[in-house]
Each structure stands twice: as structure tokens, then as C-alpha cells.
Amino acid sequence: MIGNPAYPTYQVFLAVGLAALVTGLLMPLFIRLMRHEGVGQQIRADGPQRHLVKQGTPTMGGIIILVGVLVSVGLLAEWTPALVLAVAATLVTGSLGLLDDIESVAHGRSLGLTPSQKMAGLILISVVFCLVAVNVCGTPAAVSFPGGLSIDLGVLTTTFEVGGARIAVPWLYLAFVFLLMAGLSNAVNLTDGLDGLAGGCSMVVMLVMAMVAFSYGELDLAIFAGAVAGACVGFLWHNCYPASIFMGDTGSLALGAALAALAVLTKAEVVSLIMGGVFVCEALSVMIQVTSFKLTGKRVFLMTPIHHHFEQMGWAENKVVVRFWIVSAAFAALGFALYFQLG
């Protein structure tokens, strides 16, 4: 481990800078590799027509984001059970996204894995994550709300004995963690529709999650969150408009899983939804649009996810992205303030 453990905040800031440097330096090599192999993003035909020019832009940049995170965390953090679990959840979910990206590129379409295949993967990942968090890391199966309210979701718990080890299965909390992890992973994935949008919003949220983890007494998780934020910074250097590379589902699903994992391990599940308010709004806009069209035949938004609605209103892509960053920062600040109101 490098750095000076006597100054823990220095470790976190160093993680941000190191991950940004590694990601930023490796990305041009990866872009050249993707171009040489002819690996490019498939753009949805029913999206904004101005986006069709992005067809063929190198994708799967999430691979280098994860490399930057791993290098930074490996050099700066102690591999506690909580950190191992958070990193593993992020990598495995990123691998699921990688399969989706490969499937999309191989078949030349904007959709890769089927929704049922993605959901099956997320169910497996979230179940294993929750069981390890509760049984190994000692994470309470309860959810806290601002104002001191706490709901025990471990009331329906079954204990099994496997190989001499007792494994507690808190069914309600298991379902909650699945909804949180699957919801955030898909929400970040939906947000990844404009150059720099998902990366910038994730950077802001992860910087705040680093402060949350530090306040919770989990320095190594704070270093992990800082490394994710830094990797997003390095990625944004190449993803800003006009993007030279996209993160793909490899990056977006991994970033959502990282946020969910940090939220569970620092008991910030509810406020994480406020911190990631932009992601939540993106997902809700799609749900509202689909529900409204099925029930009434009418659309609420010009196009979803909601960032496309503002594009259709005439906002330039950069204007949408920067304004969403600002809103994301406001949500993150509000969530951080409410975090200290938890019981």
C-alpha cells in the first residue's frame, strides 16, 4: 500500500488522482485497439436522428474504467471483506455488461442480451452480494430513513447450515437489495445516452459516496468510491463531446452496482437514491412513458429517457449534459446532508 495511512483523507484524494491518471493514459491505447478491431457502438434507430453520426464510435470503455479502479484500490487500500465484496460486485456486474456489449457488437444491433438474461444475471449477483454482506461483513438487514426511522427487513429470516457454516437468509432484505442493485444498474445504463452524461453524474455521486463511507468509518470503501470517481474523470477526458469512446454496458452497469454496493455497506440505501437522483429520474421517465402509452396511447415526454426529451425541446447536447451535472450535484449534496439525519 502506498501513501501515508496517518492521513486518511489524503489516501482518498490520492485514489481519485491515481485512478484518473491510469484511466486517462490507458484509454487512447484502448481506443486505437477498438478501432483496429472494428468494435463500435450500435446506435438505436428510434433515438434522436442527430445521434446517428455516433454509429461506430469505439465502445466498452468501461473496461479501462475498471482497470483504473483496480490499480488505484490495489495500491492504496487494505483488502477488507467489505472492500472485496464491493469490488467483486462491481467487476461481476461489469462482466455482465461486457457480455451485453459483445453480443451487441457481434450482431450489429443496439440491444445485446435479452432483458430476461440481464435480469437473471442481476438476480444472481444481488443475491450472492446480499448474503455475503449479511453473513460475512455483518451488514444489518435494516433500512434507515432520514429522521431516525429504521425498518428491520430481517424479520423474515431463515437460517441454513451448509458445510458446518450457518447462513442467514433475510428474505425481505434480499428482495430490497435486488431492487436497489438492479434498479441502480439499469438507471445508470439508461442515463448513458449523451456524451459525458453518465460519467459526469457518476463522478459527482461517487465523490459524495466517498465522504459517506469515510464518515461511516470505512476508509477502504472511501478509497474505492474515490477511485471510481477518479476513473470517471479519466474517462470523461475522452468521452466529452464529441466522444472518442463510450463506456458501454460494461461501464454503466458496473457503476450502478458500485453505487448500490457502497450504499448497502454504509447503510445509505435510501439516501443513495437521493444522491443518484438523476439516475432515478431517468429510469422513472421511461417507466412513466411506457405506462402512459399502454394505458392511454399518449406520451408524457417527447422522448425517453428524459435527457432525450430536452434534446427534442431544442437543447444542445452539451447544455443537457452540463445542466444534468449541476442537478446531480444538487441531489448528491442533499443526500449527503440527509445522511446525517439517519438513526
Side-chain angles (χ1 to χ4, degrees):
M1 185 176 76
I2 63 174
N4 191 339
Y7 300 96
T9 52
Y10 168 70
Q11 298 288 102
V12 178
F13 284 116
L14 190 58
V16 176
L18 182 58
L21 182 64
V22 171
T23 306
L25 291 178
L26 289 181
M27 198 65 75
L29 300 176
F30 187 75
I31 291 172
R32 284 199 288 272
L33 174 64
M34 291 296 99
R35 284 178 176 161
H36 181 267
E37 297 297 326
V39 177
Q41 180 70 37
Q42 303 299 314
I43 304 299
R44 50 183 279 206
D46 60 342
Q49 294 302 298
R50 72 182 77 171
H51 287 196
L52 294 178
V53 298
K54 301 180 182 184
Q55 180 81 15
T57 301
T59 187
M60 292 189 254
I63 293 174
I64 304 303
I65 292 177
L66 294 175
V67 170
V69 171
L70 283 175
V71 171
S72 185
V73 170
L75 291 174
L76 295 169
E78 296 285 349
W79 287 96
T80 62
L83 177 61
V84 171
L85 181 58
V87 172
T90 302
L91 290 178
V92 175
T93 310
S95 298
L96 179 65
L98 179 60
L99 289 175
D100 187 56
D101 287 333
I102 292 173
E103 186 76 9
S104 174
V105 171
H107 293 87
R109 60 191 186 192
S110 60
L111 298 177
L113 298 176
T114 65
S116 59
Q117 289 172 327
K118 274 188 184 180
M119 193 57 64
L122 289 172
I123 289 173
L124 179 60
I125 292 167
S126 60
V127 166
V128 173
F129 170 81
C130 182
L131 292 178
V132 175
V134 171
N135 291 279
V136 178
C137 301
T139 303
V143 177
S144 299
F145 294 81
L149 174 65
S150 181
I151 298 178
D152 183 10
L153 295 182
V155 290
L156 294 177
T157 298
T158 305
T159 302
F160 299 93
E161 189 163 330
V162 180
R166 296 174 65 84
I167 300 177
V169 182
W171 298 103
L172 293 178
Y173 192 61
L174 201 66
F176 175 81
V177 170
F178 160 68
L179 291 174
L180 182 70
M181 184 161 285
L184 285 174
S185 294
N186 283 295
V188 176
N189 183 241
L190 289 170
T191 306
D192 186 31
L194 300 179
D195 297 352
L197 181 56
C201 291
S202 296
M203 173 195 66
V204 170
V205 174
M206 282 299 172
L207 286 174
V208 176
M209 282 304 303
M211 293 188 285
V212 166
F214 187 82
S215 301
Y216 192 72
E218 288 282 356
L219 173 60
D220 298 297
L221 289 180
I223 290 173
F224 170 63
V228 175
C232 288
V233 172
F235 171 71
L236 282 171
W237 182 268
H238 306 280
N239 182 241
C240 61
Y241 182 85
S244 300
I245 190 168
F246 299 134
M247 68 171 67
D249 283 15
T250 308
S252 59
L253 292 183
L255 291 174
L259 176 56
L262 286 165
V264 170
L265 294 170
T266 59
K267 304 312 299 173
E269 297 100 332
V270 174
V271 295
S272 71
L273 298 176
I274 299 173
M275 294 176 192
V278 166
F279 305 138
V280 174
C281 289
E282 294 274 13
L284 286 176
S285 70
V286 175
M287 295 167 64
I288 292 170
Q289 187 87 322
V290 171
T291 302
S292 175
F293 190 76
K294 285 185 176 180
L295 294 178
T296 68
K298 297 180 180 179
R299 293 179 171 84
V300 176
F301 304 100
L302 297 176
M303 186 178 289
T304 56
I306 197 169
H307 54 260
H308 290 322
H309 171 79
F310 292 103
E311 277 195 295
Q312 296 298 96
M313 288 176 57
W315 290 18
E317 182 169 346
N318 274 345
K319 178 174 286 189
V320 177
V321 170
V322 173
R323 286 182 173 176
F324 271 49
W325 285 357
I326 294 170
V327 173
S328 183
F331 272 126
L334 175 62
F336 185 63
L338 291 175
Y339 178 74
F340 293 98
Q341 301 300 315
L342 299 179

